[in-house]
């Protein structure tokens, strides 16, 4: 859907591109490894402002949609991966699943697909896996490095065969944020969803994914801010647009003012 855009971008307006590259580099170098809170909260504000203000097209000027997120050596892994947002969903359906080690959990994949399917955790683990050490950046002003193992989302999508009109991949979660009425959900476009580092992760730092970090399955979209990486995934829905979901903006935090495009 947006291939033509990314090709067009090369060679356009080099001055603007250099400016944007510099603007992001200034924010980027201030991010610390590990799970440290940033000392100057305005640093993250700068990054977040830039992220909100730049159009999706502008981002493509400075980073190809195919580029890889940085991966780190094992020595950089934080001793404890910080948890944020929901850390222990309270719905009775989730509690029962958690009490039985997620034995009865299945991932439903449906919507605009030719072959809707459900996958058990064992079925997902039997698919080819990828392991990567990456840094998660939260808009609240911290970052954390961890090692994730999971199934490449593109492999799951290949199995359900998205229809021609499918444009976005929506992740439906098990938790109501802060006990409110709305379930967490998020979405990626098909380019981000099919990126080689986009995983449905079931392991963190060599252990089963902890409940605090999204057990039994959470998204890793390593070129995106933390809020895109849905935890507690119950269902994946391929859609043409977001109109029927939440308040129509493609995600729980997007419905509350965050930018849908959260590329970093
Ligand atoms: N289902 C769900 N997914 C979520 C959240 C949440 O509250 N619920 N918080 C998001 C935010 S803001 C961040 S920074 C990361 C936190 O992931 P972590 O708890 O593994 O650090 O998850 C994201 N995914
Ligand atoms: Mo976040």
């Amino acid at each position: 859907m947006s291939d033509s855009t990314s090709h067009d971008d090369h060679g356009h307006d080099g001055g603007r591109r250099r400016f944007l590259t510099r603007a992001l580099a200034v924010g980027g170098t201030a991010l610390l490894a590990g799970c440290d809170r940033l000392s100057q909260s305005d640093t993250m504000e700068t990054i977040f402002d830039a992220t909100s203000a730049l159009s999706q097209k502008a981002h493509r000027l400075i980073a190809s949609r195919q580029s890889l997120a940085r991966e780190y050596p094992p020595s950089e892994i934080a001793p404890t991966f910080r948890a944020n947002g929901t850390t222990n969903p309270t719905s009775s359906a989730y509690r029962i699943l958690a009490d039985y080690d997620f034995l009865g959990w299945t991932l439903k994949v449906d919507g605009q697909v030719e072959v809707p399917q459900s996958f058990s955790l064992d079925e997902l683990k039997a698919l080819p896996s990828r392991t990567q050490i990456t840094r998660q950046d939260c808009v609240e002003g911290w970052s954390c490095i961890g090692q994730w193992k999971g199934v490449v989302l593109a492999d799951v999508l290949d199995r359900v065969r998205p229809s021609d009109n499918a444009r976005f991949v929506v992740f439906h979660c098990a938790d109501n944020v802060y006990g409110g009425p709305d379930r967490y959900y998020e979405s990626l476009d098909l380019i981000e969803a099919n990126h080689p580092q986009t995983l449905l992760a079931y392991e963190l730092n060599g252990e089963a994914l902890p409940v605090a970090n999204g057990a039994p399955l959470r998204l890793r979209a390593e070129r995106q801010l933390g809020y895109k990486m849905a935890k507690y995934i119950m269902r994946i829905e391929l859609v043409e647009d977001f109109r029927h979901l939440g308040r129509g903006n493609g995600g729980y935090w997007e419905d509350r003012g965050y930018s849908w495009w959260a590329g970093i």
Side-chain angles (χ1 to χ4, degrees):
M1 42 169 244
S2 31
D3 277 357
S4 56
T5 317
S6 49
H7 292 299
D8 288 345
D9 287 342
H10 297 289
H12 282 196
D13 202 349
R16 186 164 170 232
R17 177 170 49 204
R18 276 192 298 279
F19 166 74
L20 294 172
T21 306
R22 240 184 353 257
L24 284 196
V26 167
T29 50
L31 284 171
L32 305 173
C35 286
D36 303 321
R37 181 159 286 279
L38 297 175
S39 50
Q40 293 164 315
S41 64
D42 55 10
T43 304
M44 267 325 270
E45 264 163 44
T46 307
I47 297 169
F48 194 41
D49 283 354
T51 303
S52 309
L54 296 178
S55 68
Q56 184 165 336
K57 188 154 191 238
H59 275 274
R60 290 178 189 153
L61 287 170
I62 52 171
S64 149
R65 294 298 305 271
Q66 312 308 329
S67 68
L68 293 178
R70 179 164 170 201
E71 296 192 18
Y72 294 79
S75 58
E76 300 253 24
I77 296 173
T80 306
F81 197 88
R82 189 169 166 160
N84 195 44
T86 304
T87 53
N88 198 7
T90 51
S91 69
S92 54
Y94 184 87
R95 299 289 1 134
I96 290 166
L97 287 168
D99 286 348
Y100 291 90
D101 268 341
F102 302 102
L103 274 178
W105 175 93
T106 55
L107 174 70
K108 193 169 152 190
V109 189
D110 64 358
Q112 304 297 322
V113 299
E114 285 170 24
V115 194
Q117 277 178 70
S118 285
F119 300 86
S120 69
L121 210 47
D122 284 345
E123 285 170 332
L124 291 174
K125 287 178 181 169
L127 295 175
S129 69
R130 190 178 200 282
T131 301
Q132 58 201 24
I133 301 172
T134 53
R135 190 185 69 197
Q136 172 173 295
D137 298 330
C138 174
V139 294
E140 289 171 11
W142 54 272
S143 64
C144 200
I145 293 174
Q147 175 181 282
W148 305 94
K149 180 181 178 185
V151 56
V152 177
L153 177 58
D155 287 339
V156 174
L157 295 178
D158 282 349
R159 285 178 160 73
V160 298
R161 283 198 239 129
S163 314
D164 288 344
N165 59 339
R167 294 189 58 212
F168 302 100
V169 183
V170 176
F171 305 88
H172 294 281
C173 307
D175 57 312
N176 290 45
V177 183
Y178 307 136
D182 296 325
R183 286 275 151 107
Y184 204 92
Y185 74 103
E186 255 305 337
S187 59
L188 299 178
D189 64 26
L190 282 176
I191 294 179
E192 213 61 25
N194 282 303
H195 185 271
Q197 289 169 315
T198 300
L199 308 183
L200 298 173
Y202 44 74
E203 271 186 25
L204 168 59
N205 297 339
E207 312 270 353
L209 186 61
V211 165
N213 305 102
L217 197 72
R218 71 96 47 89
L219 181 66
R220 298 304 306 169
E222 305 293 0
R223 304 182 307 170
Q224 302 282 319
L225 288 167
Y227 66 86
K228 298 298 285 186
M229 298 193 233
K231 308 195 282 187
Y232 317 112
I233 301 174
M234 304 299 282
R235 174 185 170 216
I236 293 176
E237 182 187 11
L238 281 279
V239 301
E240 209 173 338
D241 59 58
F242 307 135
R243 270 177 297 189
H244 64 294
L245 300 165
R247 302 179 195 165
N249 301 300
Y252 177 87
W253 285 115
E254 286 86 334
D255 283 340
R256 287 153 183 83
Y258 283 28
S259 165
W260 179 81
W261 182 251
I264 42 178

